[in-house]
Amino acid sequence: MSKRLIISIGIFLLAALSVMSQTIEPLQSVKTKQKLVAFTFDDGPNPQTTAEIMNLFEKADGKATFFAIGRNLSKHTALAKEVLQRGYEIGNHSMTHKRPSGTTTADESMQEIKGVQDMIQKELGYSPSLYRAPFLKYDMLNSGSLESLGLKAVNASVYARDAKKDVPVEGIVKRIMDDVHSGAIILCHERQHTIKALKQILPQLKSEGYQFVTVSQLLSLAKGNVVAANNPLVKIKGSKYHYMKNGVMVFPRHSANLLAMAKSKSKFSPVKAQTTTGVIVSFKTASPKVKVNFKVLEGDNRGLVFGIFENKEFREAKSFGKKEGPLLSFDIESAHKGEEVTYEISLPNWANVGLVNIELEEGYDLKEIKSEEKPVYVAYGNSITHGTGQQASHQTYPFLLSREMNWDLYNLAVGGGKTSVPMAEMIRDDFPQIDYMTILIGYNDYNGEGISAKEYRNRLENFLKTIREKHSQTKLFCITPTYTKTLRSKKSGESIAEFRKSMTQVVKLFQQEGDRNIFLIRGEEISKLEDLKDAVHFNVEGAKSFGEKLSIELKKRLATNN
């Protein structure tokens, strides 16, 4: 044998040994100061357990990762689709969960893995990035083989040890609660006794400040100093229905049932309703610089302008126009370097955005915002109240009024909206406390739909009766239609004066029946031609002027009423 051939064989063997020596070191946990944990569930999908597990995590404002077996996934593809649609993560747990043996070849092991990858890609259009070996046995594989499929091996740092039948629930609870830590990956199985344990574990961990994320989210959030959108120290105001979806905090202002209702019944457009006027994201930190990451969602996007407040003082506006593409980020440089600052970000009035996360500088974290009990203020109306004519939420009259009066605002107005009893039913049922409410509605009933003043009166009376069924003590301020250039309806020919008269009559009727908490505000007397941008909507200065005059009128009524 020639010397050159011997050298070549030696090089080949060294290379082969090098490849085989690339042993797999599965991910067990992630280093982070944040109270983040990733629950993982093996052996699904399973119609008896998967959906129930997701429901439990949604109650806890969290998500999890499901390591699916290919043969189960092929039987329950629709369920697997639901897992992804609801914002959970699917990992690869082999095709048949076959235990590797002394006779198993590397090719056979790879086929078990690749078969699942191909199936999920074909059936779901999704490529898992995580792999967990059956029985945690990686014997026949090396790191290069998983990397070729774009997979990262994942084990855990906390084990429920729940795979066998009839495992005591108390033991599962104890093992997880004893070993849980920030950055933990928790290995569970889709079992009924595990579900029973989760009903105890999740509320307890949540009360201790833990957040539940997928493994991929855990890896992402641990990079740098990233705060998840559902961190309990991030406070949301102005959205009664906010929730996490696909790793993004979304901020509906109306219930899902109302948004799903036919427009002919709800009396407003659900697309226009999916905007974030009046919604505020707030947090407190001493970080000299903060980066906030949002996602542009489906809705009526007329331009994205955010208002930035530091310690309740307006600092600046961040404008993006009609942003193309989903991701939107901006930096905030603190005007109070070295001090803790409470930031408030008012979201756009005519766009729909979701919060992805908040990035702080290294060494800084979020602090608890001292709770401040404020009266609850609900603003109901159409585009005038929604903010057409203003560029941002913080320029709308309800926002300005809430700041002047020190109230917590829920702006439920929808551009194009008409007087809606279903809206009143939502307000009645979903708001346990309402201290003050303004009602400026009727222009679209009058000029858009073109109903009679008599029909408007009936609608308004039913609206107010519905509110009063549960909110008899709420101070209701009914504002007659504000100044407009449209003096007669293009459809009915009726005058705006008749509609103002109808509201006046309804308010007087309630007052005569003993309602001491309902008030009439003459909207046409506290607005003028110079306030308008078009035939009916306020310009920026007009909204400010109207908000100031309205606050004076409200204070007068409240002083007289007390």
Side-chain angles (χ1 to χ4, degrees), residues 521-560:
I521 306 292
R522 298 283 181 187
E524 70 275 21
E525 293 180 2
I526 57 173
S527 56
K528 57 186 185 299
L529 177 64
E530 290 75 18
D531 293 335
L532 301 185
K533 181 178 181 178
D534 50 34
V536 69
H537 300 110
F538 296 132
N539 53 38
V540 173
E541 286 302 315
K544 180 181 178 183
S545 172
F546 184 76
E548 290 171 348
K549 291 175 181 177
L550 183 58
S551 69
I552 293 170
E553 293 297 320
L554 267 55
K555 289 173 183 176
K556 286 180 184 177
R557 304 303 193 280
L558 293 173
T560 305

Side-chain angles (χ1 to χ4, degrees), residues 122-362:
K122 179 181 177 181
E123 298 295 332
L124 306 180
Y126 173 81
S127 293
S129 60
L130 308 174
Y131 172 68
R132 175 171 286 157
F135 308 99
L136 306 184
K137 298 291 185 181
Y138 299 86
D139 308 45
M140 300 307 300
L141 302 171
N142 59 60
S143 60
S145 62
L146 287 185
E147 287 172 5
S148 69
L149 294 175
L151 289 167
K152 185 175 188 65
V154 179
N155 280 1
S157 59
V158 178
Y159 294 86
R161 305 197 184 283
D162 59 346
K164 295 181 180 180
K165 292 182 180 180
D166 303 321
V167 176
V169 171
E170 305 78 37
I172 298 171
V173 174
K174 187 176 190 308
R175 283 188 286 276
I176 292 178
M177 295 304 298
D178 284 352
D179 295 342
V180 71
H181 58 90
S182 296
I185 296 173
I186 303 171
L187 194 157
C188 305
H189 293 79
E190 294 203 34
R191 307 286 190 266
Q192 288 296 334
H193 47 252
T194 307
I195 290 173
K196 291 177 183 178
L198 288 172
K199 291 178 180 178
Q200 299 178 44
I201 293 166
L202 296 183
Q204 180 60 37
L205 290 180
K206 186 177 179 182
S207 71
E208 294 177 12
Y210 281 98
Q211 301 165 68
F212 312 118
V213 296
T214 67
V215 173
S216 290
Q217 287 172 337
L218 182 63
L219 287 165
S220 174
L221 292 168
K223 293 177 181 177
N225 196 5
V226 182
V227 178
N230 62 344
N231 187 303
L233 296 178
V234 178
K235 304 300 181 183
I236 311 300
K237 292 184 177 181
S239 169
K240 178 70 70 176
Y241 309 98
H242 59 277
Y243 65 97
M244 290 294 289
K245 180 178 181 181
N246 299 330
V248 178
M249 180 71 77
V250 295
F251 308 102
R253 296 181 292 126
H254 308 87
S255 69
N257 288 339
L258 190 62
L259 291 172
M261 192 177 291
K263 185 178 176 181
S264 58
K265 185 177 180 181
S266 70
K267 302 298 181 186
F268 69 87
S269 163
V271 176
K272 291 181 179 179
Q274 291 182 75
T275 47
T276 51
T277 189
V279 179
I280 295 174
V281 174
S282 61
F283 53 91
K284 185 177 183 179
T285 183
S287 179
K289 186 177 180 180
V290 174
K291 184 176 184 179
V292 190
N293 299 304
F294 287 95
K295 186 175 183 180
V296 181
L297 307 172
E298 183 179 353
D300 195 338
N301 183 357
R302 304 186 186 184
L304 297 125
V305 182
F306 299 79
I308 313 300
F309 293 76
E310 291 189 21
N311 297 335
K312 298 184 178 181
E313 295 293 326
F314 178 73
R315 170 80 185 282
E316 61 179 321
K318 299 283 188 179
S319 303
F320 297 89
K322 293 183 181 180
K323 173 76 175 177
E324 295 295 332
L327 197 62
L328 182 155
S329 303
F330 54 82
D331 295 331
I332 306 173
E333 296 271 1
S334 174
H336 306 272
K337 296 288 176 63
E339 301 176 18
E340 291 182 356
V341 173
T342 298
Y343 293 94
E344 295 173 286
I345 303 174
S346 67
L347 305 189
N349 56 336
W350 273 109
N352 188 20
V353 296
L355 178 64
V356 179
N357 53 47
I358 300 167
E359 298 180 38
L360 308 177
E361 293 195 347
E362 287 299 326

